Amino acid sequence: MKKVLCVAMVALVLGGCGDKAKTMTCKITKEESGVTMDINMKLEYKGKVVLKQIQTGTVKTDNDSALGILYTSMESLGYADKADGMKGVTYSLEKNDGKKEIVEKMTMDLEKISAKDYNTMTNNASHASDNFKVGIKETREGLETQGFTCEE
């Protein structure tokens, strides 16, 4: 009986080691007053834990004045400055007048980012220690509550 339990335990441990990272993609499109906003979020996860979050937001409008105001507003949030020097974070914000769009990209490697930096970049104060874990199930549920559609 002990041998059966030992073999079962070894199989469980080794089986867990072979888990490969998976990807979930969540998307939302909102349109209001001639402005279209598309957000695409790619979540890389292993088991129940998110490892990396890659988010691309695109804002489009034919109204040049509105595009300028939106860009200035997004720039004033200061995410580029906040992300500068953060371990595990990349951020960019670009305005393309020819395409009449603004593209915001942010990548967070959750295996490298500190809890403080994660809280800063997500406007979330719920992670108190650097050993924090972001659950894929909770993330999906939260995004779907906001209107995102998620697929694995």
Side-chain angles (χ1 to χ4, degrees):
M1 184 67 157
K2 286 183 181 181
K3 284 185 180 183
V4 171
L5 288 174
C6 287
V7 170
M9 189 62 132
V10 168
L12 251 167
V13 171
L14 292 177
C17 294
D19 286 348
K20 292 183 180 179
K22 297 179 182 177
T23 301
M24 178 187 303
T25 303
C26 299
K27 300 177 181 184
I28 190 170
T29 298
K30 292 188 176 187
E31 208 171 317
E32 186 177 324
S33 304
V35 177
T36 302
M37 180 177 65
D38 291 310
I39 300 174
N40 295 306
M41 192 175 300
K42 181 177 155 186
L43 301 163
E44 295 176 10
Y45 67 98
K46 190 172 185 180
K48 297 179 181 180
V49 178
V50 178
L51 305 174
K52 186 181 277 188
Q53 175 181 323
I54 303 163
Q55 179 176 316
T56 302
T58 305
V59 178
K60 295 181 181 184
T61 182
D62 288 331
N63 183 325
D64 292 334
S65 176
L67 190 69
I69 291 167
L70 287 166
Y71 180 77
T72 300
S73 176
M74 292 171 76
E75 192 176 45
S76 73
L77 295 173
Y79 283 109
D81 291 335
K82 291 175 185 177
D84 190 35
M86 282 186 183
K87 187 175 178 181
V89 179
T90 60
Y91 178 87
S92 67
L93 179 67
E94 296 176 2
K95 183 173 110 177
N96 185 323
D97 290 319
K99 291 184 176 181
K100 298 188 179 202
E101 70 180 16
I102 301 165
V103 178
E104 178 185 52
K105 294 182 182 177
M106 179 169 48
T107 300
M108 290 187 291
D109 185 332
L110 303 184
E111 294 180 299
K112 295 179 182 175
I113 191 171
S114 71
K116 178 183 175 209
D117 290 345
Y118 180 81
N119 292 340
T120 297
M121 295 306 289
T122 61
N123 293 317
N124 183 347
S126 65
H127 299 291
S129 78
D130 284 339
N131 295 330
F132 76 99
K133 301 289 182 206
V134 176
I136 190 67
K137 179 183 175 193
E138 296 81 5
T139 300
R140 181 179 189 152
E141 289 171 355
L143 290 170
E144 289 178 339
T145 298
Q146 295 175 47
F148 281 80
T149 302
C150 299
E151 296 177 356
E152 293 187 54

